[in-house]
Amino acid sequence: MKNQSKLKASTVFVHLMLLVLVVVNLFPLYWMITFSLKDNDEIFGGYLKDNAGAIIYSESGEKIPVARNMIGLPRTWRWSNYTRAMNTGNMGRYFLNSLIVSVFAILLTLLAAFMATYALTRLAWKGRKLMNKFFMLGLTIPIHAALVPVFLILSRMKLLDTYIALIIPYAAFSLSMGILISIGFMGDIPYDLDEAAFLDGCGVWGIFFRVIFPLMMPATATVGIYTFLQCWNELLFATVFVSKGRFMTLPVGVKQLVGQHTTDWGPVGAALAIATIPTMIVYALLSRRIQEGFIAGAVKG
Amino acid sequence: MKKTIAYKLNILAFLLPALILFVGILIAPIVMSVIYSFHDFKSVSASADMTYVGFGNYIELFSRMLVNDKGALFTNVNYMGDALVNALILGALSVFIQLPLALLIALKLSKGIRGERAYLSIFFMPVLISTVIIGQLWMNIYEPDGLLNSALGALGVKDQLFSWISSHIHSTKMPFRGAWTGYKETALIAAFIPILWQYVGYHMLLMYAGIKGVPADLLEAAQLDGCTEGQVNRHIVIPYIKPILKVCVIFAVTGSLKSFDLIYTLMKDTRRAELPSTLMYKLTFLNNRYGLGSAIAVVLIILCFAFALLISLAFRDKGEKVA
């Protein structure tokens, strides 16, 4: 009996520690959302202003100080920060660019990875293992290796500031992990199916596109999610290869919002929230799948 | 069937898209980077004006004599040696603070505690947020009259802490007034906190998955033998998940060597916590020293492979003893 209550006390302690960590994890996000609806005066302290931004004076002609309100809910909910982030901050444009780049990079990665995996696991040739090892080198190669040469190639081919400038490098750097994940999934597809399709008159291409490809849907999700997260958040390539507003992706756009001088933090917070919320929604819907993708990649690597 | 699946042209065709991408964007550029690193060139227009300089770029990189494309000596950059030291400090902080913390949480969570899935999902969430956003968020938190300093003020420790920090700052005579990213002595720690916050959940998830893979009968047998939770963890769970711990250590160290996004977005001026990547970006794309930048890339490639190999070797030896 005594032992049991002791056990309970330790469980309560563990929960308490975990809850503290939950608060530590969630607080910065709560704080981002709330400051995205405030102005600098409320965040850092300042003087009371009217809606046009002019300072309001008291009857005795003095400025009225605004108390800082860092961690509380906004006193007035300034949704205009969000319209400013969308209009002057161009967040809609960056969002669309990120989406286009990510989707095409995912499609390219999937096609190249599935085809290569098929050749590596189901076609018969010497050097399969060696070729597999060759592709796995990509897991350790830092993107810095490609930065200068690819920049020079793109610049000489006049391809800087295009979607292609990001789509192809992103797909190339997601490829190794794509193949790694695909090999696991393709290994689970029974070889009898290949045989049956062959007897029905399919060649390797028929087997690949009619039998293997449709059965690779679970791998599509895992590889797709992995590639998406790689592309959606990438900064170094995006900064170097795409410097013009028309093709800039979200990370570069967000980075540009914090100006050289004083920063108007309200709209910046709104931009951060706009860039974060979609990922959070996807995570809420697919959390298990996303986690599995990360685990699959690391455990096999 | 056998004939079809061994037909050479088919094999090549299936490999072709992946090979083009892989060789074109990863393998060929490594070779090009190595070649560039032995040359000096300041224009992207044509390769004609490349001059061979031997190991000149590497010597310049480690000798505190870096110059920009006009030949003027830099006053506003740190040097490769400092940048590597900073990266290795970040790596060490990750390995010795972040990973133990992640392991602790993973061990507690995997014991079938109530709300396990919810905790797991919340702890992992920051991994999915763009590092750029986390950098901006923390830039705001570190503003001189921002959240952190206000909290310190509210706790009543601000003045004491600031004067204590001031007494330990030797890089400048300016007393510390709360600009966390503005001093060499504080900038690296200020950068580590968001990294810790973002990635502890990542390592925790990997370790958690590993612990869940420990065979149940092994654990039961140990419990029947009267092992305490601590003993089970030390003698069964941790040796069992050694391969995952290895991956975590490799990720933490090579990730720190490659790290760019956070420092670049957290600080308007990265020189207080210069890393190889931020140095490479500045030299290559702001000052057109393409050869010098390539030399940094080559150093990074070699170090990433070397550390991955070293860590693997270190883990393999101990693993064999256990088995």
Side-chain angles (χ1 to χ4, degrees):
Chain A
M1 206 59 209
K2 210 179 173 186
N3 204 1
Q4 210 174 13
S5 69
K6 218 178 178 179
L7 213 93
K8 258 187 186 161
S10 76
T11 316
V12 168
F13 178 72
V14 170
H15 272 289
L16 219 59
M17 294 312 291
L18 291 173
L19 281 174
V20 169
L21 285 173
V22 167
V23 172
V24 170
N25 259 275
L26 293 182
F27 181 75
L29 294 178
Y30 158 82
W31 189 65
M32 174 179 82
I33 303 287
T34 50
F35 93 72
S36 76
L37 293 161
K38 297 172 182 174
D39 59 5
N40 272 7
D41 289 348
E42 202 176 344
I43 305 172
F44 299 113
Y47 298 100
L48 197 64
K49 290 175 187 156
D50 63 17
N51 281 334
I55 290 175
I56 298 175
Y57 291 89
S58 69
E59 281 173 20
S60 54
E62 282 169 20
K63 295 175 184 172
I64 306 160
V66 183
R68 315 166 74 171
N69 176 26
M70 291 193 116
I71 58 172
L73 291 172
R75 290 203 194 89
T76 31
W77 295 57
R78 293 174 193 274
W79 292 106
S80 59
N81 286 343
Y82 281 78
T83 31
R84 279 179 60 197
M86 287 302 275
N87 295 337
T88 50
N90 254 331
M91 291 303 289
R93 177 86 220 182
Y94 304 146
F95 198 94
L96 188 69
N97 288 342
S98 274
L99 202 64
I100 292 171
V101 167
S102 303
V103 166
F104 282 99
I106 290 171
L107 292 177
L108 191 54
T109 307
L110 283 173
L111 186 72
F114 284 0
M115 284 176 71
T117 306
Y118 184 75
L120 288 172
T121 59
R122 289 175 121 83
L123 298 182
W125 50 293
K126 276 183 203 164
R128 293 200 314 196
K129 282 200 175 135
L130 200 68
M131 184 62 86
N132 190 11
K133 278 197 178 138
F134 176 64
F135 280 125
M136 290 311 117
L137 281 178
L139 297 173
T140 328
I141 297 175
I143 67 165
H144 307 72
L147 199 57
V148 179
V150 175
F151 174 77
L152 294 184
I153 295 167
L154 289 171
S155 131
R156 280 168 196 163
M157 291 173 79
K158 304 247 175 297
L159 281 173
L160 289 177
D161 300 312
T162 59
Y163 290 131
I164 294 180
L166 291 179
I167 291 170
I168 291 178
Y170 284 174
F173 272 92
S174 307
L175 190 64
S176 296
M177 188 63 88
I179 292 175
L180 184 67
I181 297 171
S182 307
I183 284 178
F185 280 97
M186 213 176 276
D188 292 342
I189 300 174
Y191 283 82
D192 300 352
L193 291 178
D194 300 44
E195 300 268 358
F198 178 72
L199 292 177
D200 284 348
C202 280
V204 277
W205 295 95
I207 296 174
F208 177 72
F209 280 108
R210 292 202 201 139
V211 180
I212 304 290
F213 217 107
L215 288 173
M216 287 293 278
M217 280 326 276
T220 307
T222 309
V223 176
I225 288 166
Y226 174 83
T227 312
F228 173 79
L229 292 168
Q230 295 291 306
C231 311
W232 191 258
N233 295 336
E234 206 283 329
L235 180 66
L236 190 51
F237 277 166
T239 305
V240 174
F241 298 160
V242 176
S243 50
K244 292 220 177 75
R246 265 186 67 203
F247 296 101
M248 267 188 333
T249 54
L250 264 180
V252 191
V254 169
K255 158 78 183 154
Q256 287 219 327
L257 286 174
V258 177
Q260 297 294 321
H261 311 290
T262 13
T263 303
D264 198 353
W265 278 105
V268 171
L272 298 183
I274 291 169
T276 309
I277 289 166
T279 338
M280 292 298 102
I281 292 172
V282 173
Y283 181 54
L285 296 174
L286 296 169
S287 64
R288 199 163 265 232
R289 259 254 135 75
I290 292 175
Q291 291 166 10
E292 278 164 6
F294 275 85
I295 295 167
V299 172
K300 288 171 190 159
Chain B
M1 177 93 184
K2 267 190 192 131
K3 227 177 189 176
T4 336
I5 61 169
Y7 185 49
K8 291 269 179 334
L9 220 59
N10 276 337
I11 295 165
L12 188 68
F14 272 102
L15 283 174
L16 205 58
L19 274 179
I20 291 175
L21 277 178
F22 196 70
V23 174
I25 305 290
L26 276 85
I27 303 299
I30 290 186
V31 178
M32 289 160 82
S33 286
V34 173
I35 296 171
Y36 291 162
S37 74
F38 293 114
H39 289 80
D40 192 24
F41 59 116
K42 289 154 187 162
S43 157
V44 294
S45 55
S47 48
D49 54 348
M50 276 172 58
T51 42
Y52 179 75
V53 293
F55 281 93
N57 286 324
Y58 292 93
I59 293 165
E60 188 180 347
L61 210 52
F62 286 98
S63 68
R64 298 186 174 258
M65 293 293 279
L66 298 178
V67 295
N68 67 13
D69 58 337
K70 308 280 189 308
L73 203 65
F74 275 108
T75 51
N76 66 334
V77 297
N78 274 329
Y79 299 92
M80 189 56 181
D82 305 338
L84 277 177
V85 168
N86 282 343
L88 291 176
I89 292 174
L90 272 189
L93 287 172
S94 296
V95 171
F96 294 110
I97 295 177
Q98 187 171 46
L99 296 190
L101 189 63
L103 183 60
L104 191 71
I105 303 171
L107 283 171
K108 286 293 168 205
L109 272 188
S110 56
K111 292 283 144 60
I113 202 163
R114 189 190 283 209
E116 184 180 328
R117 285 287 319 166
Y119 283 126
L120 192 71
S121 296
I122 291 172
F123 295 156
F124 184 70
M125 186 192 57
V127 177
L128 301 179
I129 301 173
S130 160
T131 309
V132 178
I133 289 168
I134 288 169
Q136 307 284 48
L137 203 56
W138 250 266
M139 187 188 214
N140 179 309
I141 290 174
Y142 289 143
E143 285 273 291
D145 51 355
L147 186 67
L148 176 65
N149 290 337
S150 306
L152 291 173
L155 290 170
V157 295
K158 187 170 153 184
D159 296 335
Q160 255 180 317
L161 183 66
F162 281 14
S163 64
W164 181 80
I165 293 174
S166 294
S167 70
H168 285 80
I169 282 177
H170 305 296
S171 56
T172 163
K173 288 194 178 95
M174 294 277 287
F176 184 78
R177 290 218 178 79
W180 293 95
T181 54
Y183 296 84
K184 253 187 173 168
E185 286 82 353
T186 55
L188 209 56
I189 300 290
F192 176 65
I193 304 290
I195 293 175
L196 178 69
W197 180 78
Q198 183 173 21
Y199 286 113
V200 81
Y202 176 70
H203 296 292
M204 177 220 63
L205 179 76
L206 298 189
M207 293 171 184
Y208 171 89
I211 298 169
K212 282 285 169 183
V214 178
D217 47 345
L218 258 179
L219 296 176
E220 274 165 30
Q223 271 157 2
L224 283 178
D225 287 347
C227 287
T228 62
E229 193 185 321
Q231 284 171 324
V232 172
N233 286 343
R234 191 150 5 109
H235 298 298
I236 295 174
V237 177
I238 292 178
Y240 195 88
I241 63 166
K242 218 153 217 172
I244 297 219
L245 296 179
K246 179 189 83 180
V247 171
C248 289
V249 174
I250 291 178
F251 279 0
V253 174
T254 56
S256 302
L257 281 171
K258 295 186 276 186
S259 174
F260 171 79
D261 300 15
L262 187 87
I263 302 273
Y264 180 64
T265 42
L266 182 67
M267 304 174 191
K268 282 176 184 164
D269 180 355
T270 56
R271 80 184 130 129
R272 317 270 183 228
E274 201 78 83
L275 294 178
S277 305
T278 55
L279 187 62
M280 180 184 171
Y281 175 74
K282 272 192 207 168
L283 293 175
T284 316
F285 299 105
L286 305 182
N287 293 287
N288 302 321
R289 293 290 314 268
Y290 297 100
L292 208 50
S294 299
I296 297 184
V298 172
V299 171
L300 279 180
I301 298 167
I302 293 172
L303 283 179
C304 280
F305 275 101
F307 271 103
L309 201 69
L310 273 177
I311 294 165
S312 295
L313 285 178
F315 270 85
R316 194 193 287 166
D317 285 341
K318 285 176 202 159
E320 272 165 7
K321 258 181 235 159
V322 170

